[in-house]
Amino acid sequence: MEKDIYQLAEKQRLLAYKNPDSISKEYDAFLEKNNIYHSLNRKLFEKSLHGHIELCDGILDIYKKTSLENEKISLLEDLFVIGYDRNALVELMLLVFKSQNRPSNLWEYGDLLYKIGNFNYLHDYLELVKDKSLGSDRQMLLLLLGKSKNKTVIPVLIELLSDNSVCGHALDALSNFSGNEIEESMLKYSKSDITWVRNIAKRYLDKTKKDN
């Protein structure tokens, strides 16, 4: 199984090399010039990247060159692994969310923002989750708001319980807080027809009962 995955990854790399719009070949050459080899094993590759701050400027230059959505998010993930400035990294991704030409893999940007966990931009995250045109691409941003444990986000999370595209994630985010209004919401969704949403509410209520 693992061998099949590596073979598929190698085929994808060779196809990327042949794509005139891809920066894969240039990126691999840049890494090799700096004694880092783009291993098909992601864990090994991340281990070799970690801490090499001197690579950031070069990676940013390559990031600006590519027009391919999968390459852009991949380069941002590499910058995160290296330890690039967290504020600068978040600002790059916020530009993507706020652009008129949003990529089809926008959800992945939210996922990376969640992994970074930078709460200096709560206001920006709140504005984004209120934008219904973003649909389910807001899901990980909602979890990020919950992860912040900042009580100012609660009213927005409660409001978004009525939005079917993010309802479950809003409920999950609310599980990081306490209060009568939140408990009432959990009681309501403990009867949800959606199993994973119902389980979030039940876990919260069980924990609340034990704590009391």
Side-chain angles (χ1 to χ4, degrees):
M1 180 67 178
E2 188 174 339
K3 183 179 178 182
D4 291 339
I5 292 172
Y6 287 150
Q7 286 177 341
L8 178 60
E10 181 61 25
K11 285 181 181 178
Q12 290 174 332
R13 176 183 286 181
L14 292 174
L15 285 172
Y17 279 3
K18 294 176 182 178
N19 184 347
D21 294 324
S22 175
I23 48 78
S24 291
K25 196 169 186 177
E26 179 184 352
Y27 186 42
D28 285 352
F30 167 75
L31 292 173
E32 289 176 17
K33 185 179 178 181
N34 288 277
N35 299 314
I36 291 179
Y37 296 89
H38 203 158
S39 171
L40 295 175
N41 183 314
R42 182 66 190 177
K43 287 185 178 179
L44 286 177
F45 179 55
E46 288 184 357
K47 188 176 180 180
S48 65
L49 274 182
H50 185 73
H52 284 278
I53 300 295
E54 73 279 1
L55 299 178
C56 290
D57 287 343
I59 293 176
L60 284 167
D61 287 340
I62 294 172
Y63 172 81
K64 293 170 186 175
K65 289 181 183 179
T66 185
S67 60
L68 300 182
E69 296 173 356
N70 64 313
E71 290 185 343
K72 280 188 173 293
I73 187 64
S74 180
L75 289 167
L76 291 175
E77 287 171 348
D78 289 352
L79 286 169
F80 169 57
V81 169
I82 286 171
Y84 181 58
D85 180 86
R86 295 296 185 253
N87 288 341
L89 192 53
V90 168
E91 287 169 14
L92 277 173
M93 285 186 281
L94 289 176
L95 287 175
V96 176
F97 269 98
K98 295 174 182 179
S99 68
Q100 292 184 337
N101 299 314
R102 294 165 181 159
S104 61
N105 62 342
L106 193 59
W107 188 93
E108 294 178 49
Y109 285 82
D111 187 47
L112 183 52
L113 283 171
Y114 177 81
K115 290 175 185 174
I116 294 169
N118 185 337
F119 304 125
N120 294 331
Y121 296 86
L122 274 184
H123 175 75
D124 296 277
Y125 305 150
L126 283 168
E127 290 303 308
L128 289 175
V129 299
K130 288 189 283 186
D131 183 352
K132 292 190 176 183
S133 71
L134 290 169
S136 60
D137 290 327
R138 298 169 291 165
Q139 290 175 346
M140 296 307 294
L141 293 178
L142 285 165
L143 296 188
L144 178 58
L145 292 178
K147 189 178 180 181
S148 74
K149 297 189 178 181
N150 187 314
K151 292 181 180 180
T152 62
V153 309
I154 292 175
V156 173
L157 294 176
I158 289 174
E159 182 183 340
L160 288 171
L161 288 173
S162 61
D163 187 330
N164 290 334
S165 62
V166 294
C167 170
H169 290 76
L171 193 73
D172 198 353
L174 281 168
S175 68
N176 291 282
F177 303 96
S178 59
N180 292 335
E181 193 171 5
I182 294 171
E183 192 165 338
E184 287 172 10
S185 296
M186 293 296 174
L187 282 168
K188 175 183 175 181
Y189 284 95
S190 66
K191 300 172 185 176
S192 171
D193 293 332
I194 303 171
T195 303
W196 70 273
V197 172
R198 185 171 66 247
N199 288 342
I200 289 170
K202 285 184 175 181
R203 280 196 302 270
Y204 180 91
L205 292 170
D206 287 345
K207 186 178 184 303
T208 302
K209 189 176 181 181
K210 285 179 182 178
D211 291 344
N212 293 335

